[in-house]
Amino acid sequence: MTPSHSADTSDLELLRAHVDGDPEAFGVLFGRHRDRLWAVALRTMGNPEDAADGLQDGLIAAFRRAGSFRGDAAVTTWLHRVVVNACLDRLRAAKVRAADPLPDDLDERESRGSLRTATAASLDPAELSVADERRRTVLAALQTLPEEQRAALVLVDMEGYAMADVAQMLDCAVGTVKSRCSRGRARLAGLLTDRLAALDADPTGGTTSGPGDAGLGNRPAGRPVPSQDPPRGPPASP
């Protein structure tokens, strides 16, 4: 953080400084929210390459449109809205449907809502193997959802944002977010019930938690787990 931008400098002050021509303010602002913006882009897009492109599109849009920020939401909510919309635009244009491999970065990090329900230290190798496979199964199923449902579930169930905040990010009513989450969860349940049950009966003898613990719908809204390690791969700020 530069001397002119201390930890006490608010997000709004940084955004206004950027609009007024401060060449460093936007970079400081992005640095504050980099982890969560990257996590949302990664889960929405499904792989690091597309996530980097979506995040870059969003950051460029935010950089250029900062003057249009109306102040009717928190700056971080506005940033997420711009990045999510950029990712959804890419998904719609490319007609992406669960064809890309899951990023290893997601599996390695517990902190960004990674679906991990137990630490490696608490699991024997067989249990850890089953837990990893369960996580991959859930994430792969997530990529089959329609883009709007996927974005809502990523923001609410995996990132822990409140419904009202997600409604602002997605520019829709709270009821719409609830409906998208409900339909998405129902669709995931249909896809995952048999698959996760089969993993629970893994012949290695490892025991895992039930399908409801796979990472969707368990974290209280607005209470995400704080990041501990920076993610790998997101692009630099514009």
Side-chain angles (χ1 to χ4, degrees):
M1 186 168 294
T2 65
S4 60
H5 301 303
S6 68
D8 294 330
T9 305
S10 70
D11 288 349
L12 183 57
E13 289 170 334
L14 287 171
L15 192 64
R16 287 174 174 169
H18 163 65
V19 173
D20 290 340
D22 188 321
E24 299 174 335
F26 191 84
V28 175
L29 179 64
F30 169 56
R32 286 183 178 178
H33 304 289
R34 175 177 179 268
D35 283 14
R36 298 198 74 182
L37 292 171
W38 172 244
V40 168
L42 190 58
R43 290 200 173 93
T44 301
M45 300 301 293
N47 66 82
E49 292 77 16
D50 289 338
D53 290 339
L55 181 56
Q56 187 71 57
D57 289 351
L59 290 177
I60 291 173
F63 187 90
R64 293 174 176 173
R65 301 174 191 169
S68 67
F69 178 69
R70 300 187 302 272
D72 56 352
V75 172
T76 182
T77 300
W78 175 75
L79 286 172
H80 276 75
R81 178 193 301 169
V82 175
V83 170
V84 169
N85 284 338
C87 290
L88 292 179
D89 285 345
R90 277 190 169 267
L91 287 171
R92 293 177 187 126
K95 305 297 183 183
V96 174
R97 289 296 186 275
D100 296 314
L102 291 169
D104 291 337
D105 181 76
L106 266 174
D107 292 338
E108 293 171 359
R109 300 180 66 238
E110 297 179 33
S111 56
R112 301 277 355 117
S114 66
L115 309 183
R116 190 181 294 273
T117 58
T119 64
S122 67
L123 296 173
D124 65 29
E127 290 175 326
L128 184 57
S129 176
V130 173
D132 286 344
E133 185 59 32
R134 284 172 60 84
R135 186 163 58 255
R136 286 181 174 273
T137 299
V138 172
L139 290 171
L142 183 67
Q143 296 305 308
T144 70
L145 297 181
E147 291 89 345
E148 290 80 6
Q149 292 178 18
R150 187 192 315 172
L153 283 178
V154 166
L155 291 167
V156 173
D157 287 345
M158 301 178 77
E159 286 301 302
Y161 283 106
M163 290 281 185
D165 291 335
V166 175
Q168 289 185 319
M169 292 175 193
L170 300 181
D171 196 21
C172 62
V174 172
T176 301
V177 176
K178 292 179 179 178
S179 177
R180 290 175 181 175
C181 287
S182 179
R183 292 198 303 269
R185 290 168 187 151
R187 183 163 178 172
L188 283 181
L191 290 171
L192 292 172
T193 299
D194 291 341
R195 298 179 191 177
L196 294 180
L199 287 173
D200 286 340
D202 185 85
T204 61
T207 58
T208 61
S209 54
D213 293 329
L216 294 172
N218 296 317
R219 178 170 300 131
R223 300 275 308 272
V225 177
S227 177
Q228 297 175 347
D229 300 306
R232 300 191 301 270
S237 58

